[in-house]
Structures are given as structure tokens and as C-alpha cells.
Amino acid sequence: MRLKLIACEVLFRELCQALADTPHTVDVQFAPKGLHDIGAPGMLARMQQMVDAVDEAQYDAVMLGYALCNNGIAGLTARGIPLVVPRAHDCITLFLGSKEKYHDFFHANPGVYFHTAGWIERGTDAGELQQLSVSHQMGMDSQYKDLVEKYGEDNAKYLFDMLCNTTRNYSGIAYIAMGLGSDSAFEEQSRRDAAARGWSFTRVEGDMRLFRDLLEGRWDEADFLVVPPGQSIAASHGSDVISITA
Amino acid sequence: MTDLQELYTAVLEGDAPSAKSLVQTALDGGADPQELLAKYMIPAMDEVGRLFEANEYFVPELLIAARAMKGALELIRPKLVAAGAKSAGKVAIGTVRGDLHDIGKNLVAAMLEGGGFDIIDLGVDVSPEKFVEAAREKGADVIAMSALLTTTMPGMKTTVDAIDQAGLKGKVKVMIGGAPVTQRFADEIGADGFSDNASGAVRIARQLLA
């Protein structure tokens, strides 16, 4: 098959490894991590633009290196060729290798923040997308001194506490090791980050299965949604995560 | 007599110290607490909501206005209660099980408090049982739930079901919100109200209890 992959840059290393091994011919387009920060309607619009820009005569299907991503792909429509999407709430399912494993880990460890190589190296600064981000619009990325200048000391303290401490309820970092050569440096960085915050640190073994299944065309119904031409993706709010809507 | 238009302005501009001192001076001077509330403070918050929805006010302005309102209300409320006035209602609010993201929840709680509601803040990662208990034992009129993740949204349905099973359906109203939550989802799970912003949440809570 000749396939097009549109993927989030957070998955860069894992996808590149799986791409090297796939029997199919794949063209790849990576998009910025910051798409996640601009709200679902903004992300959807940009995702649809990328899908619409695919030269469909060249490919058998378009694969997404994305999850539901807080509804950022809900409403995305397949045009002339199928769209293949992992059944996942977010990329942690992809890194852990199954949505069930993620579900169990998530509910057993509610205060854990996940780190991966891509998440760390692609940073927290959304670049040009930062201005459009929901956190920016809400003032969550404000500097304390700017708040003081705008609202006075008394209100600034209150606002900073209310809006800017986005991880106050977290208590640990889990680094997902994918078995890549780069793991140890990123794991070390996560460990230091956890220590600096006084959080616990856990190393979790990742699983390349879903990356490989996606790129090798094993689109099992349980793990992937294949959206036929003309139909769209919807959030299902069930264990299948996403479904098709006409 | 203090110029009470200043009270309106202090709430509108989020100046909590001025709002409080103006209310205190007015009360000391024998002003009618109900009048302070109805003629100056509530109209100020209504204007805050209008400015927010017109994109002239943003979340920080909303928050500091609600804070000024709350400060002023704390001085007025004992007098209102003594005079037999009722609060706008009691809202138990929390993030659903598994969800630890409480900025939105705190925002809504602050706005509701500024809107004259009594708040039972259940915090984060709240189980369906805890929401039910708030309705049954603490007399909440409204259960307000938020979720930031699609992963945790099913907890809203579980909670609505638990409320039904506890025989509280119709007796307590349920409203939901949070980045991935939609009106459609609210309809699907049988929630009574939905808002995608904190200012709208106050309007919804009022409608539900009207």
C-alpha cells in the first residue's frame, strides 16, 4: 500500500522507528504539538486542512498519528479515501500499547503526569500557537509581575494561585520508556524534574505495538477506527473511544 | 452617605478592599442590605458577565470581580439571613473521579459564589457516592461536575446514574462543564444543564432552580 501519515511531532521518534520497518510506502507529515493547546475547534480546523491537502490519487489511505486529543479530531471527515485512527483518548494509549493498559494505569495513579521523549523534547512552549492557546486566552501563562502590573498586588496573588498553578494536584511523573536509544537521557531528565517538584518518579515500560500495527496496516477493529470516505469521526464516550458519524 | 455607585464600580473592577469597605460603611450608616445587593452588586456582576460574553472582559477580570463580590457578600449575608432572605441555592461542585484539573471548577465556584449561591466544594477526583452524599446529606440543590479529559468524562454519567439510583432524580439538578464536554453529551447522559464558560454557569444554575 501507499499510505499518508499525518502525525503529532510528539510521536516522532516512535513513528520513525516503526516507519523504518513497515513493508508499506509511507509519506509523512508531522504537525506541531501546540495544536493541542488551541482548543478543539481550532485543532479540528487545522487537522481537516491537512487531511484535505492530501493528494488522494497517490494513496490508499490516510493514517493519523493522533488520538481523540480532547475532541481535537472529533468531526474530522474522510474525503475520497479512508482515514485510519487509533482508538485512544490521548497518546498515552499509543505509548503504553493498549487503551486498556492506559485505563488501568490512569485510574490506579490519578496524580501522575506522563513524560515521554517526544513530550519532553518538543517542550511546553507552543511557539506561534501559544498566542492562540486556551491557556493564553485564560491568562494561565501569565507572569506574576505582569499580573501585578495589571491588577495590583492583592489581586495578582489571587489570580496567580487560581490560574497559573496548573499542576498543583499532581504528585508524580511516570516516564514511559519505549526502548529507544534516547530513553536514558530523557528518563534522567524526568527523574530530575520529579525530584525538583518533590514528586514521585516511576519508569513505565512502553510498548511499540500500536505504532507498528498502524504503520504495518494491521488495523484491527478493537484498536483502530477506519473511517470510510465521506464519513466523520465522533467521540463515543464508551470503551471504543471513537466512532463513525455520517 | 457614601456614593454607592462606587460600590458598583468596585465590584465591576474587581477592587475587593474597596467593595468591602464601601459595604461596611453603608451598613454602618443604616443602608438596607437587600438594596445594596439588588441595586449595586448584582447589577455589577451582571455587567461583568455581559462584558465577558462580549469579549471585553477575560477570565482574570471575571475572577477578581467575583472575588470582590464574594468579599462584599460575606458582610451582607448575615444581615440578609437575619432578615429571612434565602440564598440563591446550594451547589455542590467538584471534578469527576480521576480528574485532578480544578482551575475551571474553581472558576465556576467563584462565579457562583459571586452570584449568591452557597458552595460546597468537594474538591477534585470526586466519587459518585460523594456527590450523592452532598445532595442527600448536605442539602445541595445542584450538583456541578467538571472534567478536563475525555478519559474522565464517563464519570459524569456514572454520577448521574448514581443520583438516579439514590432516588434523587428531579430533586437535585445536575450541571456539567469542562473543555471536552458538550451540550450533546449533557443530553446523552441526562444532565440538566451545561455551560462552556463560568459566566454562563451562573445563568444555568439560576435557570435550573427557577
Side-chain angles (χ1 to χ4, degrees):
Chain A
M1 286 192 285
R2 186 162 180 129
L3 301 164
K4 175 80 181 190
L5 171 67
I6 297 171
C8 176
E9 63 181 354
V10 165
L11 314 177
F12 192 91
R13 288 171 186 265
E14 291 76 15
L15 285 170
C16 286
Q17 191 174 63
L19 278 162
D21 298 331
T22 177
H24 304 295
T25 306
V26 184
D27 291 323
V28 190
Q29 180 182 357
F30 283 103
K33 173 175 176 280
L35 279 189
H36 289 84
D37 303 326
I38 62 174
M43 179 169 168
L44 173 63
R46 286 165 188 247
M47 293 295 298
Q48 191 68 62
Q49 273 172 14
M50 288 190 282
V51 169
D52 291 353
V54 173
D55 179 1
E56 295 184 332
Q58 302 286 323
Y59 303 103
D60 297 299
V62 177
M63 302 177 293
L64 291 189
Y66 280 93
L68 177 56
C69 301
N70 247 14
N71 290 337
I73 65 160
L76 191 66
T77 303
R79 300 302 187 192
I81 55 175
L83 203 52
V84 183
V85 198
R87 293 187 187 275
H89 282 286
D90 53 52
C91 57
I92 307 306
T93 287
L94 304 182
F95 290 116
L96 293 180
S98 91
K99 56 184 181 311
E100 291 75 22
K101 190 171 164 190
Y102 176 36
H103 179 272
D104 294 347
F105 189 94
F106 180 87
H107 286 284
N109 302 274
V112 161
Y113 204 87
F114 292 98
H115 275 188
T116 68
W119 196 93
I120 294 170
E121 72 181 330
R122 302 292 162 177
T124 50
D125 182 359
E128 55 168 357
L129 293 168
Q130 183 62 27
Q131 293 301 311
L132 299 173
S133 73
V134 173
S135 59
H136 181 70
Q137 286 166 20
M138 281 185 63
M140 289 163 62
D141 60 350
S142 303
Q143 298 295 314
Y144 183 68
K145 65 173 177 43
D146 297 334
L147 291 174
V148 172
E149 202 171 291
K150 215 166 162 192
Y151 304 106
E153 185 94 41
D154 182 47
N155 275 328
K157 255 186 220 152
Y158 173 71
L159 289 174
F160 195 77
D161 183 50
M162 283 289 277
L163 290 174
C164 304
N165 188 0
T166 55
T167 54
R168 67 174 148 237
N169 295 320
Y170 282 89
S171 55
I173 289 175
Y175 179 80
I176 309 177
M178 298 303 296
L180 305 175
S182 54
D183 271 338
S184 59
F186 288 115
E187 183 183 333
E188 191 44 46
Q189 198 173 327
S190 282
R191 205 181 281 275
R192 280 200 306 269
D193 193 0
R197 293 164 182 262
W199 290 0
S200 66
F201 176 84
T202 329
R203 175 195 158 103
V204 181
E205 296 305 320
D207 186 338
M208 287 288 293
R209 184 181 73 94
L210 288 172
F211 292 109
R212 295 195 185 284
D213 283 354
L214 176 67
L215 293 176
E216 292 175 20
R218 286 189 299 274
W219 302 327
D220 189 82
E221 173 73 27
D223 292 321
F224 297 93
L225 176 70
V226 179
V227 186
Q231 304 208 8
S232 306
I233 302 166
S236 76
H237 309 299
S239 56
D240 56 349
V241 186
I242 46 175
S243 57
I244 290 168
T245 162
Chain B
M1 183 86 188
T2 328
D3 177 6
L4 285 171
Q5 201 55 36
E6 284 178 28
L7 174 58
Y8 174 88
T9 309
V11 172
L12 185 65
E13 293 181 352
D15 181 350
S18 297
K20 281 188 271 190
S21 78
L22 285 162
V23 163
Q24 194 59 60
T25 311
L27 290 175
D28 292 347
D32 173 9
Q34 187 58 46
E35 190 184 323
L36 295 181
L37 193 61
K39 272 181 80 175
Y40 303 99
M41 292 161 60
I42 290 173
M45 285 307 286
D46 288 346
E47 178 64 2
V48 168
R50 192 192 69 75
L51 290 169
F52 179 72
E53 280 166 33
N55 283 322
E56 288 178 50
Y57 261 21
F58 298 95
V59 169
E61 287 83 9
L62 206 62
L63 270 173
I64 60 173
R67 178 174 181 243
M69 179 73 175
K70 185 186 166 190
L73 265 180
E74 277 165 4
L75 299 173
I76 284 186
R77 190 167 287 151
K79 301 202 182 281
L80 289 178
V81 172
K86 283 186 182 160
S87 87
K90 201 182 264 189
V91 182
I93 189 167
T95 73
V96 290
R97 180 143 71 193
D99 210 309
L100 302 181
H101 304 91
D102 60 359
I103 290 178
K105 183 267 290 175
N106 294 339
L107 241 167
V108 171
M111 287 303 290
L112 286 169
E113 223 165 2
F117 287 86
D118 289 326
I119 299 297
I120 306 168
D121 192 342
L122 300 173
V124 298
D125 191 13
V126 179
S127 67
E129 299 75 38
K130 259 179 135 178
F131 278 116
V132 168
E133 188 191 307
R136 196 160 35 200
E137 281 154 42
K138 296 181 189 161
D141 305 300
V142 177
I143 299 287
M145 291 183 266
S146 84
L148 185 73
L149 309 171
T150 56
T151 334
T152 54
M153 277 168 68
M156 293 181 160
K157 177 162 180 16
T158 317
T159 305
V160 169
D161 292 347
I163 289 168
D164 289 355
Q165 278 159 21
L168 295 167
K169 191 181 172 75
K171 292 182 191 148
V172 59
K173 302 288 185 183
V174 177
M175 55 190 268
I176 62 173
V181 180
T182 59
Q183 179 67 55
R184 193 172 161 184
F185 180 71
D187 295 341
E188 265 173 41
I189 66 166
D192 303 295
F194 159 79
S195 174
D196 64 3
N197 69 76
S199 173
V202 179
R203 199 172 46 239
I204 297 292
R206 284 191 186 133
Q207 280 169 11
L208 291 178
L209 296 183

